[in-house]
Amino acid sequence: MEEFKLEKLSKKLPLAAGINGKDEYFNSAVLVLLMLINGEYHFVFEKRAASIRQAGEFCFPGGKFDSEKDKSFQETAIRETVEELGITADQIKVIGPLDTVIATIGTTVDAFLGILDVEDVEDLRINFSEVERIFTVPVSHFENNEPEVYQVVLEVHPSHLNQAGEEVVTFPAKQLGLPERYHKQWGNVKSNIFVYKVGDATIWGITARLIRDVVRKIKEI
């Protein structure tokens, strides 16, 4: 490679490292939302409406990144929160970004810590087509209660069966001349699943992971 090409290449490199292949994922963003209630900060949670993706699950407000509407993932998180909670953007104060979560289901979640400036959750005009209900839990509850930890086993499959029961090869490892161990499923990697139980709510997965991250940061202060 010529020296001038190397110099041009250096200008193409990002100022901060990103996620290789992020555009191949379902990209979303959420606000890990805090609200001051009686002098104590609470996390603000949603229960997702029955008619939408991942119905009935508990989560933070947020949604899919839309390149036509959003200039950044932070804009996505704010836009979705405004739509879901029926508030205005100036009622949200973003404290800063959290680490991006890369989920094994093919999703990335860019998360931001924010403060909700409302007097009472009853003041929210919830979008019931997306949100069944809103509730809050004191941050101290999670500081005093560690999550339960479970594991799922992940495998890579170079083929699958279609509806007719026929094998569909999506990665022809044998024809590519790769070692025999890649001709069938491989991996068998264990991945942690964090779970918090709060009343009748089971908060797990990405949401629980984000809670755990924030609480760990608080304890480091």
Side-chain angles (χ1 to χ4, degrees), residues 11-80:
K11 295 177 182 178
K12 294 285 186 181
L13 300 180
L15 296 176
I19 299 171
N20 190 313
K22 195 174 193 299
D23 59 336
E24 300 172 22
Y25 285 77
F26 178 94
N27 297 146
S28 61
V30 302
L31 263 182
V32 177
L33 206 53
L34 299 173
M35 179 178 173
L36 190 61
I37 301 175
N38 297 326
E40 182 178 7
Y41 278 107
H42 288 220
F43 285 116
V44 180
F45 297 105
E46 300 177 351
K47 183 178 182 182
R48 296 172 67 86
S51 60
I52 65 171
R53 182 172 171 265
Q54 294 180 299
E57 296 197 25
F58 301 97
C59 63
F60 291 115
K64 182 181 179 180
F65 173 75
D66 187 333
S67 60
E68 295 184 358
K69 297 179 181 179
D70 310 318
K71 295 179 181 178
S72 67
F73 288 104
Q74 181 170 314
E75 283 193 10
T76 301
I78 293 172
R79 174 178 58 78
E80 289 283 347

Side-chain angles (χ1 to χ4, degrees), residues 38 57-58 71-72 90 99 135 153 195 210 220:
N38 297 326
E57 296 197 25
F58 301 97
K71 295 179 181 178
S72 67
D90 60 7
D99 291 330
F135 65 100
V153 176
V195 176
L210 290 170
E220 291 172 357

